[in-house]
């Protein structure tokens, strides 16, 4: 049945689509369904079991654990909560500086989004007031939750187009209120009618006409492509206008004493933040509204590395009788398997103590700062970023299990879906362990790595070393880049189309960060 049938206002089939979205189960959902682990009122758990904790926004394809004492665990994407509005995700802020990020995508087809809206809710522990902020796949802030009069906060995912479908939620203690580390907040979703669907009717109709013409091999199908591209360009400009209006509305709604009246740009304020300078509450509020998520998190990482992290590190050294001056000029390298090396310190005893401290306490944190600051990693597209960081996480895990570096190039998938080529100890752990969130994460990463190694062919694995320098009393990142051509590698992972309706389809000029 052609898509034009769905677009016809009088079509019973189309009307059915407009009454309720049609969802498709993911592989994990299908497996859980047939194992009898799917039910209503499920409670997903915040994922804190991996090297890449949920305090950074670039955590795509993360699954969350649902435990059942009788049937064991199942692991689901956050998108599941949109499909089942009775379920929720449970998380907590460990302290007043903790920040949690959750990625999700709209789990129904684009043309259906014309008719439906999605709302996100956060229920908080008693006495707490957490901020729930929404970012689109381009890193723009596109929503801030407000109290809904029922004891919780709500935000609406914008219906500015039907092309953008990836989003990121940020939970933080933004108002300086107390946190409740022993209690939990809950995130849930609700699908509602899109009462402003006429804003995207033109996109849906133009795409339907194009798809229909192409499917019936109309010799003039490229005319429909031109019409669709024109609508997309107009929609792109409208997206920018909607974004500007939202930000201005948010700014105008602030109390007078919280409105930034200075003349500095967002970029200049972010540069101050990156240099470790404290922004005023007014400046910070301004940045939260107008700054891109990627730029803001990079600036925060630089500031934390320079100030709080460096101070904590030096304090530990001073407890060992080593001063800040003793390590001035040192360089630190953390390999993909987690091995730490230090140079630039003449005293070998001091060098060994510093290396041991990093290895035992600070290595993982430093790695997180590196991938959040180094442009060579941060500028990667979503899929390539995931590949490069998965390699680091898997290598660390496998070395911890086996005590040796494992060659990922020699791994393969067996016909029954297991990971082949692993040493016996690791193979038993990865392939036979059930209901373990950490191992489930490693399995998913290994499957993805094996597939991408096959696609990348002779280009090699995107390995990198996290490098730092300690100068003027503080750490900074020394970007080491990659040994392989990341542009060529990314090209291998990007589906290429030629001579069909997709090859010349207009794509937004916004840069994706998710």
């Amino acid at each position: 049945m052609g898509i034009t049938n769905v677009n016809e206002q009088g079509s019973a089939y189309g009307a059915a689509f407009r009454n309720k979205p049609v969802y498709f189960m993911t592989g994990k959902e299908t497996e859980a369904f047939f194992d009898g682990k799917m039910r209503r009122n499920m409670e997903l758990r915040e994922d804190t079991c991996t090297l890449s904790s949920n305090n950074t926004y670039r955590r795509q394809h993360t699954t969350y654990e649902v435990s059942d004492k009788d049937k064991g665990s199942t692991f689901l994407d956050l998108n599941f909560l949109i499909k089942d509005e009775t379920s929720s995700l449970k998380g907590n802020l460990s302290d007043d500086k903790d920040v949690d990020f959750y990625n999700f995508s709209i789990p129904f087809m684009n043309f259906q989004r014309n008719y439906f809206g999605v709302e996100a809710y956060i229920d908080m522990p008693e006495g707490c007031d957490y901020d729930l902020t929404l970012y689109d796949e381009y890193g723009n802030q596109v929503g801030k939750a407000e109290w809904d009069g029922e004891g919780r906060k709500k935000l609406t995912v914008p219906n500015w187009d039907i092309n953008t479908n990836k989003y990121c939620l940020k939970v933080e203690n933004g108002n300086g209120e107390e946190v409740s580390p022993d209690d939990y907040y809950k995130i849930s979703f609700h699908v509602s009618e899109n009462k402003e669907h006429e804003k995207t009717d033109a996109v849906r109709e133009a795409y339907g006409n194009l798809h229909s013409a192409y499917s019936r091999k109309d010799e003039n199908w490229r005319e429909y492509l031109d019409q669709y591209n024109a609508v997309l360009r107009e929609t792109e400009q409208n997206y920018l206008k909607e974004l500007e209006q939202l930000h201005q509305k948010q700014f105008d709604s602030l109390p007078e004493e919280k409105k930034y009246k200075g003349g500095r740009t967002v970029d200049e304020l972010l540069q101050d933040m990156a240099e470790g300078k404290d922004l005023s509450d007014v400046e910070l509020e301004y940045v939260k509204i107008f700054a891109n998520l990627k730029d803001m998190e990079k600036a925060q990482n630089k500031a934390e590395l320079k100030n709080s992290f460096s101070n904590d590190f030096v304090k530990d050294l001073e407890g060992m009788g080593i001063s800040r001056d003793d390590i001035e000029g040192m360089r630190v390298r953390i390999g993909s398997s987690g091995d730490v090396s230090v140079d630039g310190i003449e005293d070998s005893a001091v060098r060994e103590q510093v290396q041991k401290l990093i290895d035992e306490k600070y290595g993982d944190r430093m790695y997180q700062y590196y991938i959040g600051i180094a442009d060579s990693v941060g500028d990667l597209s979503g899929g390539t970023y995931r590949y490069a960081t998965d390699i680091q996480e898997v290598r660390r895990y496998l070395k911890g299990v086996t005590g040796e570096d494992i060659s990922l190039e020699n791994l393969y998938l067996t016909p029954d879906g297991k990971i082949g080529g692993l040493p016996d100890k690791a193979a038993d752990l990865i392939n036979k362990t059930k209901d373990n969130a950490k191992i489930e994460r490693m399995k998913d990463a290994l499957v993805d790595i094996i597939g991408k190694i096959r696609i990348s062919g002779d280009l090699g694995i995107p390995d990198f070393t996290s490098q730092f320098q300690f100068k003027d009393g503080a750490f900074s990142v020394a970007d080491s880049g990659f040994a392989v051509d990341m542009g060529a590698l990314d090209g291998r992972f990007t589906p290429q189309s030629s001579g069909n309706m997709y090859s010349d389809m207009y794509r937004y000029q916004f840069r994706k960060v998710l």
Side-chain angles (χ1 to χ4, degrees):
M1 183 175 290
I3 195 169
T4 48
N5 289 337
V6 176
N7 290 333
E8 291 173 4
Q9 295 297 317
S11 167
Y13 186 52
F17 272 116
R18 293 194 294 275
N19 290 332
K20 187 176 182 179
V22 174
Y23 302 120
F24 296 99
M25 283 189 178
T26 65
K28 290 183 180 295
E29 290 169 4
T30 302
E31 182 181 354
F33 177 79
F34 284 109
D35 287 345
K37 296 179 179 180
M38 296 286 280
R39 62 184 187 276
R40 293 175 67 81
N41 298 306
M42 298 179 75
E43 202 168 71
L44 283 64
R45 294 182 178 179
E46 174 187 8
D47 179 9
T48 58
C49 70
T50 60
L51 184 63
S52 299
S53 62
N54 67 334
N55 60 357
T56 179
Y57 72 94
R58 297 199 77 170
R59 299 189 70 239
Q60 296 181 340
H61 308 289
T62 302
T63 56
Y64 301 90
E65 185 176 8
V66 183
S67 294
D68 186 315
K69 64 180 181 180
D70 297 320
K71 295 184 177 180
S73 295
T74 188
F75 304 90
L76 304 172
D77 294 329
L78 194 71
N79 308 359
F80 172 75
L81 298 182
I82 301 178
K83 303 174 187 177
D84 177 15
E85 298 177 24
T86 70
S87 297
S88 62
L89 178 139
K90 184 174 76 172
N92 72 309
L93 296 180
S94 57
D95 55 59
D96 60 359
K97 301 295 184 184
D98 190 19
V99 176
D100 291 344
F101 287 97
Y102 300 100
N103 287 300
F104 69 94
S105 57
I106 306 300
F108 42 90
M109 292 174 283
N110 282 0
F111 73 87
Q112 289 184 276
R113 294 192 60 201
N114 186 238
Y115 302 111
F116 301 101
V118 177
E119 298 165 345
Y121 296 85
I122 181 169
D123 293 273
M124 291 157 284
E126 186 176 354
C128 294
D129 185 6
Y130 299 161
D131 283 351
L132 181 68
T133 309
L134 181 71
Y135 296 88
D136 63 16
E137 59 188 302
Y138 318 111
N140 302 310
Q141 185 268 110
V142 293
K144 301 178 73 175
E146 303 291 343
W147 292 103
D148 67 352
E150 298 182 15
R152 60 183 179 176
K153 286 186 174 181
K154 179 184 80 170
L155 62 79
T156 300
V157 178
N159 287 109
W160 299 336
D161 69 352
I162 58 174
N163 186 54
T164 308
N165 74 336
K166 292 181 180 178
Y167 296 91
C168 178
L169 286 170
K170 179 182 182 181
V171 182
E172 64 180 329
N173 182 41
N175 298 326
E177 303 286 343
E178 288 188 12
V179 302
S180 183
D182 297 324
D183 294 319
Y184 296 90
Y185 60 77
K186 288 188 177 182
I187 292 175
S188 57
F189 290 90
H190 174 64
V191 176
S192 60
E193 178 187 359
N194 177 15
K195 296 181 179 179
E196 298 182 331
H197 65 82
E198 69 278 356
K199 290 184 177 180
T200 50
D201 279 345
V203 183
R204 175 184 59 81
E205 291 168 5
Y207 180 81
N209 292 334
L210 169 60
H211 189 278
S212 177
Y214 187 78
S215 298
R216 66 175 184 264
K217 299 181 180 179
D218 188 323
E219 62 181 10
N220 297 318
W221 69 269
R222 284 195 172 273
E223 294 180 11
Y224 292 98
L225 175 62
D226 291 341
Q227 294 171 13
Y228 180 58
N229 283 343
V231 174
L232 283 180
R233 290 188 181 92
E234 184 178 348
T235 304
E236 179 183 39
Q237 292 305 308
N238 182 65
Y239 198 99
L240 283 171
K241 291 178 183 177
E242 294 278 7
L243 184 66
E244 291 171 0
Q245 290 173 3
L246 172 68
H247 289 173
Q248 191 61 49
K249 182 179 178 181
Q250 290 173 342
F251 180 79
D252 291 341
S253 67
L254 293 173
E256 264 323 293
E257 66 273 14
K258 287 191 175 182
K259 290 181 180 178
Y260 177 64
K261 298 179 175 64
R264 311 202 70 205
T265 66
V266 170
D267 287 341
E268 289 172 335
L269 293 173
L270 287 175
Q271 183 60 36
D272 281 352
M273 182 187 292
E275 292 173 359
K277 301 174 183 176
D278 290 331
L279 299 187
S280 68
D281 291 342
V282 171
E283 291 172 331
L284 190 57
E285 194 69 41
Y286 185 74
V287 166
K288 285 183 177 181
I289 292 176
F290 292 99
N292 186 278
L293 175 60
K294 178 181 176 181
D295 297 332
M296 184 164 58
E297 185 165 284
K298 183 176 180 178
Q300 289 172 330
N301 277 322
K302 282 186 174 180
E304 287 178 16
L305 179 64
K306 181 177 182 179
N307 292 335
S308 59
F309 179 85
S310 295
N311 289 335
D312 289 345
F313 187 85
V314 169
K315 189 178 295 184
D316 276 355
L317 287 183
E318 288 174 343
M320 300 160 57
I322 301 172
S323 71
R324 193 183 295 257
D325 291 340
D326 291 333
I327 60 172
E328 179 66 23
M330 80 168 176
R331 295 174 296 278
V332 178
R333 293 178 176 83
I334 304 174
S336 60
S337 60
D339 293 333
V340 177
S341 64
V342 175
D343 59 28
I345 301 177
E346 293 186 6
D347 190 317
S348 60
V350 171
R351 185 169 61 250
E352 288 176 8
Q353 285 179 288
V354 172
Q355 184 168 311
K356 183 179 179 181
L357 178 63
I358 296 172
D359 186 45
E360 294 181 349
K361 185 175 180 179
Y362 288 108
D364 287 349
R365 282 179 63 188
M366 293 179 74
Y367 164 75
Q368 293 295 332
Y369 282 124
Y370 184 85
I371 62 176
I373 295 173
D375 288 335
S376 62
V377 181
D379 289 344
L380 295 176
S381 65
T384 309
Y385 174 90
R386 179 190 176 197
Y387 180 31
T389 53
D390 275 356
I391 284 173
Q392 299 262 334
E393 186 166 351
V394 164
R395 279 185 165 156
R396 282 167 165 77
Y397 178 77
L398 292 177
K399 185 170 184 180
V401 171
T402 65
E404 58 182 295
D405 290 334
I406 305 298
S407 176
L408 301 180
E409 295 94 327
N410 296 329
L411 303 184
Y412 56 91
L413 288 178
T414 63
D416 58 354
K418 295 181 179 179
I419 310 297
L422 291 169
D424 290 342
K425 185 177 180 180
D428 288 344
L429 194 64
I430 295 291
N431 293 320
K432 294 181 180 180
T433 304
K434 295 183 179 181
D435 301 332
N436 183 286
K438 177 71 174 181
I439 293 175
E440 187 75 17
R441 168 75 181 100
M442 291 300 104
K443 286 180 183 177
D444 290 345
L446 281 166
V447 169
D448 190 64
I449 288 170
I450 291 168
K452 282 188 165 59
I453 288 176
R454 185 180 298 115
I455 295 171
S456 60
D458 60 348
L459 291 178
I461 287 182
D463 217 348
F464 64 89
T465 299
S466 304
Q467 296 192 23
F468 303 82
Q469 59 185 9
F470 192 87
K471 186 178 179 181
D472 298 328
F475 279 108
S476 62
V477 161
D479 196 337
S480 63
F482 288 88
V484 301
D485 185 339
M486 297 303 290
L489 192 67
D490 192 56
R492 292 274 179 95
F493 302 148
T494 305
Q496 302 296 318
S497 55
S498 177
N500 59 35
M501 62 179 278
Y502 299 104
S503 57
D504 295 320
M505 193 174 285
Y506 182 76
R507 287 169 175 76
Y508 288 175
Q509 301 306 299
F510 311 146
R511 185 177 183 181
K512 294 185 178 182
V513 304
L514 296 183

